[in-house]
Amino acid sequence: MYDHLLGGQCGYASDRRACADLLGLAPRLRELALINRDFLGRAVRHLTGQHEVRRYLDHGSGIPHRPHVHEIAREARPDTHVVYIDNDPVALGQSRLILAEDPTAATVLSADIRDTPGILRHPRVTRLFEAALPVGALFGWVLECIPDDEDPWALVRGVTGRLPSGSYLVISHLTHEDPNVRAEVGGFLRQTLGRQWGNVRSRHEVARFFSGLNMVGQDAPGDVAHWHPGHPSTSCAQDTGDGWVQFGGVARVP
């Protein structure tokens, strides 16, 4: 569905029908998907170019869209390496096809992002940590897939707690402040996707992911469409009054 919202061609008819129904509930969702994608690109470009981050873990990387994370990062640091993490067979297959072009740039790990211990023990990941260099942990439009009762906040703390000092957390999360709207959209997605969907959350709930970390480029988590305006952006994006905001930011791990 995310691939379809971004204009990709890898989805099925059922994905397109579900997106059409979803856009009936939240017409700006396609724009928010593009805002999310654009923000992740700006964050990676900034972290690589300004903070020399050369290692990335892309959680729930999904079906690849150009420019890929490793392509963006390698513009500034050709020795960058990315580990893409997903458990969807279509996303994994597409990623492996693309990465066959340059296997030194990135690897693809078949894993559930909730299995933090297993991911961090995997040889492809432990190699990222060998030199104790900073790592960028990316969570873009994926924490929504973790229900509250599975504690996504603990998941993020488990990742940041194992990263080398001076690493970075990047989160972009779909939010709405009206609990009735969250319940309506969340209910539709849970009915459509089952346990592959968790919650649309409030801004306060998303801000909790950054607890104890130092924000980069802003004083507090906010609308990611406005994050780091010094970088080029194709987002059209302000909050238009419908209440939907792509919320999050970038934070440094002590």
Side-chain angles (χ1 to χ4, degrees), residues 7-227:
Q9 304 298 320
C10 293
Y12 297 97
S14 57
D15 299 314
R16 295 190 289 273
R17 287 194 299 271
C19 283
D21 292 339
L22 185 58
L23 288 167
L25 297 174
R28 211 159 58 89
L29 204 62
R30 178 173 282 114
E31 178 189 352
L32 292 166
L34 294 169
I35 288 171
N36 169 73
R37 183 72 185 167
D38 188 42
F39 161 68
L40 291 174
R42 295 199 313 279
V44 169
R45 191 172 289 110
H46 175 75
L47 291 179
T48 309
Q50 301 300 316
H51 299 278
E52 298 188 354
V53 177
R54 291 176 283 161
R55 304 289 184 265
Y56 289 92
L57 294 174
D58 190 351
H59 296 80
S61 51
I63 293 171
H65 283 265
R66 280 200 155 101
H68 313 302
V69 170
H70 66 276
E71 291 175 328
I72 294 170
R74 284 194 156 207
E75 291 175 3
R77 300 288 306 211
D79 56 344
T80 299
H81 193 83
V82 179
V83 175
Y84 294 104
I85 306 165
D86 212 300
N87 63 353
D88 179 82
V90 176
L92 292 168
Q94 291 286 331
S95 297
R96 287 175 178 134
L97 281 173
I98 288 169
L99 293 177
E101 301 171 7
D102 185 0
T104 67
T107 54
V108 182
L109 180 59
S110 176
D112 189 316
I113 68 164
R114 292 169 292 191
D115 181 18
T116 299
I119 290 170
L120 296 181
R121 284 195 305 266
H122 196 283
R124 297 177 186 176
V125 177
T126 58
R127 281 198 296 270
L128 293 186
F129 292 8
E130 285 176 353
L133 295 171
V135 174
L138 311 180
F139 292 88
W141 260 35
V142 68
L143 292 169
E144 295 92 333
C145 299
I146 311 297
D148 286 358
D149 60 13
E150 295 185 17
D151 200 347
W153 299 276
L155 185 159
V156 171
R157 288 195 302 271
V159 173
T160 57
R162 297 281 298 276
L163 295 177
S165 177
S167 292
Y168 293 86
L169 173 68
V170 180
I171 290 177
S172 178
H173 196 298
L174 188 63
T175 66
H176 202 288
E177 294 303 281
D178 188 331
N180 295 320
V181 174
R182 294 199 301 269
E184 182 180 26
V185 172
F188 167 79
L189 286 166
R190 280 188 291 274
Q191 181 180 8
T192 304
L193 302 174
R195 291 297 291 179
Q196 297 182 67
W197 181 260
N199 295 86
V200 174
R201 297 187 167 95
S202 69
R203 300 178 198 181
H204 173 73
E205 290 172 316
V206 176
R208 285 176 54 198
F209 288 115
F210 296 97
S211 179
L213 305 179
N214 302 312
M215 301 303 298
V216 175
Q218 61 197 104
D219 295 330
D223 183 345
V224 302
H226 307 303
W227 185 85

Side-chain angles (χ1 to χ4, degrees), residues 1-8 30 33-34 37 63 65:
M1 290 173 66
Y2 180 54
D3 175 73
H4 177 66
L5 290 172
L6 290 176
R30 178 173 282 114
L34 294 169
R37 183 72 185 167
I63 293 171
H65 283 265

